[in-house]
Amino acid sequence: MNEPFQPETLAVRAGTQRSQFNEHSEAMYLTSSFVFASAAEAAARFSGAEPGPIYARFTNPSVTMFEDRLAALEGAERCVAFASGMAAILATVMGLMKAGEHVVASRSIFGSTVQLFSNILSRFGVETTFVSPTDPEEWRAAIKPNTRLFFLESPSNPLTEVSDIRALADIAHAAGAWLAVDNCFCTPILQRPLELGADIVIHSATKYLDGQGRVLGGAVLGKKDLMEGVYTFLRTAGPTLSAFNAWVLHKGLETLGLRMRAHSENALELATWLEAHPKVARVFYPGLPSHPQHELAMNQQKTGGGIVAFEVAGGREAAWKVIDATRLMSITANLGDTRTTITHPSSTTHSRMTPEQRATAGIGDGLIRIAAGLEAVVDLRNDLARGLDAL
Ligand SMILES: *Cc1c(COP(=O)(O)O)cnc(C)c1O
């Protein structure tokens, strides 16, 4: 696939491998190990002199197909797949850093990622400073002589704050550090962080890459030499993506372009409608001109994405009333599904933060997050109207 194909083409064509049967849709390789033609071939495979599968903890054609397709979409030299998004984030640090080194991370990142950096990696001598996702000067000021990694998500969850990936890549590189971007919310269809200067892209494939809420998966992408350390951690420690999940994800990528366009259209329409609703105090969506980083977002993303947050007056009681009065939307913390989900961040996804941390992050008790699915937008609007009528 050396031609400069468009993402929609890569999503259905890149990474395909066929067996001797020449199947059109990719086969699934449910096997833990592989047989060699001779002792010499086994030795050549193990030494790396000859490419080819050995053992499914670190080589399986189904997993390789998913990795190659996602690498083509992100414009990455190499992708290493993992059992989950969290395993991918852990492997990035374990593969590239050592005790005594330092991370600068956005304050507005996935809750388990905060816990991983603050409570687990800190026990192994990797220290993290959390800073504002939107103020590059805070990142610059947090740099220490031992800083090796910048880590961010853009847009953030649930407030959709947008980080300037180009500016932060420059600041990281001047300090001799790498920039890793968790690209879960945008996917390569809407944003390609490596083109903006990032060194590492991380995915929770569990969300939009699958797109139908079926399997867990994760991935780390970047230059070949950087990914070698990440791969060595996978091979040695074994947080491996299963062949079945890889096959589901590989097929899921085929509709990613269509789905991201539809998620984005529904989200923009809901955000616009919510902003005009008298019972809504504020709407957070990068695709709205009222968003504080609208211009930056439209510069580094193709659309505003599929996630919208909004605030109602009356705190938790009011937010719960709205959520409980909806009938179509799923009350769940997941996102990136065909089905629209509705979430109360302060009592679920962000409940492990202290009230002070939530206040600093701007996550109020009246905040509601919508991950727009693929239903007809008129039905979603009617459902939200029903919710807001309960106030
Ligand atoms: C869900 C999520 C993760 C974690 O992924 P899992 O597949 O659940 O381990 C990491 N980052 C972001 C932004 C997420 O939404």
Side-chain angles (χ1 to χ4, degrees), residues 83-87 89 110 113 153 157 182 184-185 203-207 216-218 335:
S84 69
M86 290 318 302
I89 296 168
F110 190 64
T113 313
E153 285 167 26
N157 179 24
D182 181 335
C184 173
F185 272 37
H203 277 286
S204 167
T206 315
K207 313 293 166 54
L216 287 167
L335 61 95

Side-chain angles (χ1 to χ4, degrees), residues 211-269:
Q212 298 181 54
R214 299 165 295 189
V215 299
L216 287 167
V220 184
L221 302 100
K223 286 218 160 67
K224 275 196 178 127
D225 54 346
L226 261 186
M227 290 307 105
E228 201 51 45
V230 175
Y231 175 72
T232 301
F233 178 75
L234 169 82
R235 180 174 179 145
T236 315
T240 307
L241 180 65
S242 77
F244 178 80
N245 287 7
W247 181 84
V248 169
L249 292 168
H250 185 73
K251 303 307 284 177
L253 286 179
E254 293 181 8
T255 54
L256 185 65
L258 286 173
R259 286 188 284 108
M260 292 314 292
R261 213 172 308 141
H263 285 297
S264 303
E265 279 170 16
N266 278 357
L268 176 61
E269 203 162 321

